[in-house]
Amino acid sequence: MSPPAGGRRRRRPNKAKVDQQAQPSDFWRAPPEPPPPAKVSPAKDPTALLRSLGTPPLPLQSSVADTALALVTVHASRLAIALAAAADLLDDDDVDR
């Protein structure tokens, strides 16, 4: 019997290595419980990052686009606060009453 192309013989798998491999039942085990989520604090100014980028580079419409983007950002911030409150994740110390 001649060796395969490349001049090397195939080795049989080492029985010890086969025994060390993960069994299928190990793969399907239940994952560990995740840590509890952190409390969420609302941003004092949700548009601060947006304003730090400057006005949008749209000729003749930069002020309209700036206002529209700010409105969308504030709306998204309000929705995030509402979702955090519904999930009881809102940090009560930072909420203005």
Side-chain angles (χ1 to χ4, degrees):
M1 179 171 153
S2 63
R8 294 187 180 181
R9 289 185 173 180
R10 286 189 176 191
R11 287 197 216 178
R12 292 184 182 166
N14 189 351
K15 185 168 174 41
K17 286 184 181 180
V18 172
D19 290 341
Q20 291 175 356
Q21 291 178 351
Q23 299 298 322
S25 61
D26 292 341
F27 180 75
W28 294 109
R29 72 180 184 277
E33 288 293 320
K39 295 286 185 175
V40 176
S41 300
K44 294 188 186 335
D45 183 11
T47 61
L49 177 66
L50 185 64
R51 284 186 289 113
S52 73
L53 298 174
T55 57
L58 299 172
L60 304 175
Q61 297 178 355
S62 63
S63 64
V64 174
D66 195 26
T67 303
L69 289 172
L71 287 174
V72 169
T73 305
V74 169
H75 184 69
S77 173
R78 289 179 181 160
L79 286 175
I81 292 169
L83 285 172
D88 197 29
L89 294 175
L90 193 58
D91 191 9
D92 295 332
D93 297 338
D94 291 334
V95 177
D96 296 329
R97 301 224 182 235

